[in-house]
Amino acid sequence: MIPIELSPRQHQIVAFVRANEPATGDSIAAHLKLTRATIRADLSILTMTGILDARPKVGYFYSGLETNPIHLDEIRQLKVADIMTQPFFAKKETSVYDAIVMLFMEDIGSLYVIDDEQLVGLVSRKDLLKGALADADTKATPIATIMTRMPNLVTVTKNDKVLHAAEQLVFHQIDSLPVFENNSGKAKVVGKISKTRITALFVDTIKKVL
């Protein structure tokens, strides 16, 4: 197995943190002349692989490891299709009330909204909470009025690498990604990949090498 290879920017981040720990995300971004959002995925990878240690309200510390001790080639080669889970669908006419019930009954974080079998939007727990607070008549309000609509959704295909999906989740600060069969405009949603699934994958991989 091959240890994960850091990008030039990630090497720069590690060098800065070593020289300035504890280093905040803002100070790292300022040093690189980038925005905090731009380096969010890099920081996530460096902390998940154990190279940096993140302490809330303090900053980032260098772990003392010159190279990543965890062999993550297995993860690097995984495709989204290998770990995606079953999507849950709802029609755009579904009421906010029924959608809330579905989320809790299925213990899921989001619903993919379809119209004539095509994905037209996504409704998250946060969307439903906002909808419930804004309109008391949740049984009469369709989820189409509160959903995030296509093409504003971030998506992946089943042949994308898992690492790419993880970076998208972190960069866009979202909980899940619809998985399409291919890049066609009328492609079918065949699964979803979530932060919970990604986290479980990394935990399982790390346990194997400890």
Side-chain angles (χ1 to χ4, degrees):
M1 297 169 106
I2 303 171
I4 190 170
E5 296 180 4
L6 301 183
S7 68
R9 187 164 70 197
Q10 289 163 0
H11 279 295
Q12 286 182 291
I13 292 173
V14 172
F16 179 79
V17 173
R18 289 183 66 179
N20 300 277
E21 60 184 7
T24 64
D26 290 333
S27 67
I28 296 170
H31 172 71
L32 298 176
K33 295 181 173 57
L34 298 171
T35 65
R36 178 69 181 274
T38 302
I39 65 170
R40 187 176 291 119
D42 295 308
L43 292 172
S44 178
I45 290 170
L46 290 171
T47 53
M48 284 192 294
T49 54
I51 297 174
L52 296 184
D53 178 28
R55 301 180 190 175
K57 299 183 180 180
V58 179
Y60 293 91
F61 292 80
Y62 177 57
S63 68
L65 301 172
E66 289 294 334
T67 57
N68 177 18
I70 301 171
H71 295 286
L72 295 175
D73 188 56
E74 204 173 298
I75 289 180
R76 293 175 64 198
Q77 300 306 318
L78 278 177
K79 293 183 178 181
V80 168
D82 297 322
I83 69 165
M84 67 184 187
T85 57
Q86 178 71 29
F88 285 85
F89 299 105
K91 294 182 178 181
K92 65 178 184 178
E93 297 84 9
T94 302
S95 70
V96 169
Y97 176 85
D98 288 338
I100 292 173
V101 171
M102 190 181 303
L103 281 185
F104 281 96
M105 291 293 292
E106 301 293 345
D107 191 23
I108 52 178
S110 59
L111 291 170
Y112 296 156
V113 185
I114 57 174
D115 181 28
D116 194 23
E117 299 188 355
Q118 296 298 313
L119 181 68
V120 294
L122 180 148
V123 174
S124 67
R125 290 181 178 180
K126 185 182 296 185
D127 294 327
L128 291 171
L129 177 59
K130 289 180 179 178
L133 292 175
D135 192 334
D137 193 4
T138 56
K139 292 186 177 181
T141 304
I143 55 176
T145 63
I146 63 169
M147 69 183 183
T148 301
R149 297 175 177 273
M150 290 288 286
N152 297 320
L153 296 181
V154 182
T155 66
V156 292
T157 72
K158 68 177 187 178
N159 291 320
D160 284 330
K161 294 294 180 65
V162 167
L163 184 57
H164 168 71
E167 289 174 336
Q168 293 302 304
L169 288 169
V170 172
F171 182 80
H172 293 284
Q173 300 185 60
I174 51 181
D175 293 326
S176 72
L177 298 167
V179 180
F180 281 85
E181 183 78 28
N182 52 54
N183 289 316
S184 168
K186 294 185 178 180
K188 180 181 179 181
V189 176
V190 293
K192 78 171 184 176
I193 188 163
S194 65
K195 281 185 177 178
T196 300
R197 187 69 185 92
I198 293 289
T199 301
L201 172 65
F202 275 94
V203 169
D204 289 343
T205 302
I206 291 171
K207 282 183 176 180
K208 291 178 182 178
V209 298
L210 292 179

